[in-house]
Structure formats: C-alpha cells, structure tokens
Amino acid sequence: DAGVIQSPRHEVTEMGQEVTLRCKPISGHNSLFWYRQTMMRGLELLIYFNNNVPIDDSGMPEDRFSAKMPNASFSTLKIQPSEPRDSAVYFCASSRRTSGISTDTQYFGPGTRLTVL
Amino acid sequence: AQTVTQSQPEMSVQEAETVTLSCTYDTSESDYYLFWYKQPPSRQMILVIRQEAYKQQNATENRFSVNFQKAAKSFSLKISDSQLGDAAMYFCAYRSAGTGRRALTFGSGTRLQVQP
C-alpha cells in the first residue's frame, strides 16, 4: 500500500512568495495532521483534520498560514507571504480514527523541506 | 500541557550491542499512548513501537522493546543487537487518549550512532 505522499519534496523560494505544500493521506485514513520540524522548536503540530474538518489549528503560527482539506484524499498547507523563518521540514501524517477511545497510530509522509531565501 | 523530555542528545553503541534511550514525560492524564519514532537521514519518520498506558505489559517489536514505568512517567527504548541501520534520530512522543486531543507531543530527540 502507498504511504502518505507529500509534494514537493524540496521547495526553494524567495521571501514574499506564496508556497503550497500538498499531502495525500493513506487511503481509508480519516485524520490528517500537519507538523513542522525546525532545529529551534523541534517537531510541533500545526493543524489537524478529522473527516476533512479542521479540529485543532492552535499551532498555526499566524494568518500567513492556511490549510485546507477539500476531500478525504488531499490536503494543502499554504504560506502567503513566505518569510525566511518559515524554513523548515513540513510533515504530513495520517491515521484512521475509530469510535470511542482512539488507538490510532499516525503514519508520516517523507516531508517537504522548505527554504525561504 | 504535556511535555516530553529526552535528556540524551546523543548516544553511541557498538554494533551487536544493546543500548537504551531514555524518555520521561509529564502529564496529569491517566489514559494516553506513548510512541518511539525513528528518523534516519532520509528524514522519514518511522514508527518503531507503541505503548498504551493502560497496559502493564511492556511492548516489544523484534529487537526493540520498551521499559514503561507509569508511576515514574518513564518510557525508555531498548535496542538489542544493534545494527548499522539503526543509526538515526529517535523521538519519543506522547498522545492523549482523549478523542479531542490527538496531536503528538514530541521530545527533542536522541541521535544514535552505531559503531562498526
């Protein structure tokens, strides 16, 4: 089975440009998570969706960041305008949530390394 | 808020030897899950092992096992018969069992080197 797919794997852009990161979760998974990894802050949650609905976006740094999940098989994370401090590795993860106490495990994509010059 | 602490930034082990990576966490919850993820140079995050807090038995996956001490809030990872391919960053992670709080909280990681 295909795992979580992210594109692009690498992105280099200039400050002020719009950046769009894409994620395709594992088929059948109904929860999707966006994490960011930096040297200074480590791995931190940006936002997560359940059944395509954003549940917790408390980790989204500011209004420059937005995320959407128009259907169960696709999500985007957009940064507009981008800044050098946004340089990081962005991970998408998905899981299958069942009813009751959830024991789901999150499976990660390969990440997108973003560099903002 | 929950916190996860990995106090060993780097560890080294000889091939075929055993190594233990430490992790402690802080929570007021009684139901939760703990994970170890491996991140090789490819940066892919790979699940190594998972432990449910309500289970007293320590989880085991082949050469990987954990020592889960709930009262001490400790969750260490033991790697037996270390192999060169085990060299990576290892992250300990916590997740609440509550359905409304499902994000992972990660520790800062331990870089494991395996010497041939």
Side-chain angles (χ1 to χ4, degrees):
Chain A
D1 289 339
V4 176
I5 299 172
Q6 290 186 247
S7 64
R9 293 293 307 276
H10 304 272
E11 177 78 25
V12 180
T13 190
E14 292 188 348
M15 182 174 63
Q17 297 298 307
E18 178 180 296
V19 176
T20 299
L21 310 182
R22 297 172 176 81
C23 176
K24 177 179 171 56
I26 294 172
S27 177
H29 283 192
N30 56 1
S31 296
L32 184 140
F33 304 78
W34 284 100
Y35 292 90
R36 179 171 67 176
Q37 184 178 31
T38 62
M39 290 295 293
M40 291 296 294
R41 300 175 64 90
L43 278 153
E44 54 184 351
L45 177 79
L46 297 176
I47 186 171
Y48 86 83
F49 296 84
N50 191 54
N51 293 325
N52 312 338
V53 176
I55 302 299
D56 181 358
D57 65 354
S58 59
M60 295 287 265
E62 51 197 87
D63 292 345
R64 297 185 298 106
F65 285 69
S66 62
K68 294 182 179 180
M69 192 165 186
N71 57 60
S73 59
F74 184 66
S75 176
T76 59
L77 178 67
K78 183 178 294 187
I79 308 172
Q80 167 64 20
S82 58
E83 297 182 2
R85 59 187 168 133
D86 301 330
S87 297
V89 179
Y90 291 81
F91 286 100
C92 176
S94 72
S95 67
R96 184 174 65 87
R97 178 182 175 183
T98 56
S99 61
I101 295 177
S102 180
T103 61
D104 57 316
T105 295
Q106 295 178 27
Y107 295 92
F108 284 72
T112 294
R113 180 178 293 280
L114 173 64
T115 302
V116 183
L117 303 174
Chain B
Q2 294 78 27
T3 59
V4 178
T5 301
Q6 293 180 251
S7 58
Q8 305 156 315
E10 290 194 11
M11 293 283 285
S12 183
V13 63
Q14 292 290 128
E15 200 175 359
E17 296 295 309
T18 296
V19 64
T20 298
L21 308 184
S22 301
C23 172
T24 59
Y25 57 94
D26 187 27
T27 184
S28 59
E29 299 176 327
S30 59
D31 290 328
Y32 49 87
Y33 303 93
L34 297 164
F35 305 83
W36 279 97
Y37 281 88
K38 170 185 177 181
Q39 186 177 40
S42 66
R43 77 168 178 261
Q44 175 82 49
M45 294 289 286
I46 302 166
L47 177 68
V48 175
I49 200 164
R50 183 181 80 179
Q51 175 78 43
E52 291 85 352
Y54 63 85
K55 289 186 178 178
Q56 294 186 342
Q57 186 173 7
N58 290 323
T60 299
E61 288 287 345
N62 301 314
R63 297 182 297 107
F64 298 88
S65 62
V66 299
N67 183 5
F68 173 50
Q69 300 291 328
K70 191 172 184 179
K73 296 180 182 176
S74 172
F75 183 61
S76 61
L77 175 69
K78 185 171 81 171
I79 306 174
S80 304
D81 186 26
S82 297
Q83 301 176 359
L84 295 177
D86 295 333
M89 282 289 289
Y90 286 81
F91 292 94
C92 179
Y94 171 103
R95 183 175 78 73
S96 171
T99 55
R101 295 188 297 273
R102 297 176 54 240
L104 291 167
T105 300
F106 288 92
S108 56
T110 297
R111 182 175 302 280
L112 178 66
Q113 296 181 334
V114 181
Q115 307 297 332

